[in-house]
Amino acid sequence: EALDYGWMDESDRAKPEGMNFEPLANAAAQKGIVVCAGLIERNGDRLFNSAVLLDRSGRKIAHHRKINELEIAHEIYTSGESAGPPVETEIGKIGLHICADAFVEEQWISREIASAGADVILSPCAWAVPPEFDPVVETYGQIWRENYEPVAREFGVAIAGCSCVGPIRSGPWAGHSCIGNSMVFDSRGREILTGPHGANADELLFVEIE
């Protein structure tokens, strides 16, 4: 989520028009992989917290604007209006949402995407905790488990939430840190991957989804 500028970072305000996913598109084409990423998008005087899906040639095939933006971020981002339908790819039908889109009332965004036939929902995230958070005392991630698991199980859709890592430098959550802890649930609702937790816990992970 907001991997190019950082979620709620003041640098977002200087973002040029559009989205810059050219480096990711070049990498997708070079490696022949499908890529999903969360990026800041400018449309005139409005900023959107957006996500894109790129095919193996680097072509943009899906685009989502975060709908359920947290209230503290409304000063910066304009909320999206609807979840787009999943798109057909050679590896299955893929739908997109972003972070807090997963825990709207009754998970309606996830359910709408799943009802449209998605095999997988990909969700770029910026999961953040305050400086005093201790993962030994309180295991992170219960809110995501409560919202990913039932949708995955009921609809037979896999859900992958991939979170960035590093400090939040400005805005209401300055001093918080994004902590990874990425999660993948399979189509039976089982948590089949949990990434490491921490502001420096960047790691390349692989998982096979049934």
Side-chain angles (χ1 to χ4, degrees), residues 28-79:
Q30 182 180 5
K31 300 298 183 180
I33 58 174
V34 175
V35 173
C36 175
L39 302 168
I40 300 301
E41 174 191 2
R42 177 175 291 281
N43 186 334
D45 61 355
R46 297 186 299 170
L47 288 176
F48 293 93
N49 185 349
S50 297
V52 295
L53 184 68
L54 310 175
D55 69 11
R56 293 182 189 273
S57 69
R59 180 174 60 97
K60 184 180 75 171
I61 55 175
H63 173 208
H64 173 74
R65 291 171 171 171
K66 188 176 182 181
I67 300 168
N68 187 38
E69 188 58 80
L70 299 188
E71 186 174 351
I72 58 172
H74 288 175
E75 180 187 355
I76 297 180
Y77 307 122
T78 299
S79 295

Side-chain angles (χ1 to χ4, degrees), residues 116-132:
D119 299 306
V120 180
I121 297 174
L122 300 179
S123 189
C125 300
W127 295 342
V129 298
E132 66 273 14

Side-chain angles (χ1 to χ4, degrees), residues 5 7-8 17 40 42 45 48 50 58 62 74 83 92 94 104 106 108 115 124 127 135 137 140 143 162 176 210:
Y5 285 79
W7 185 66
M8 292 188 63
E17 185 72 13
I40 300 301
R42 177 175 291 281
D45 61 355
F48 293 93
S50 297
H74 288 175
I94 298 177
V104 292
E106 297 183 352
W108 73 260
S115 295
W127 295 342
V137 174
Y140 182 81
I143 189 172
C162 183
H176 285 49
E210 295 180 3

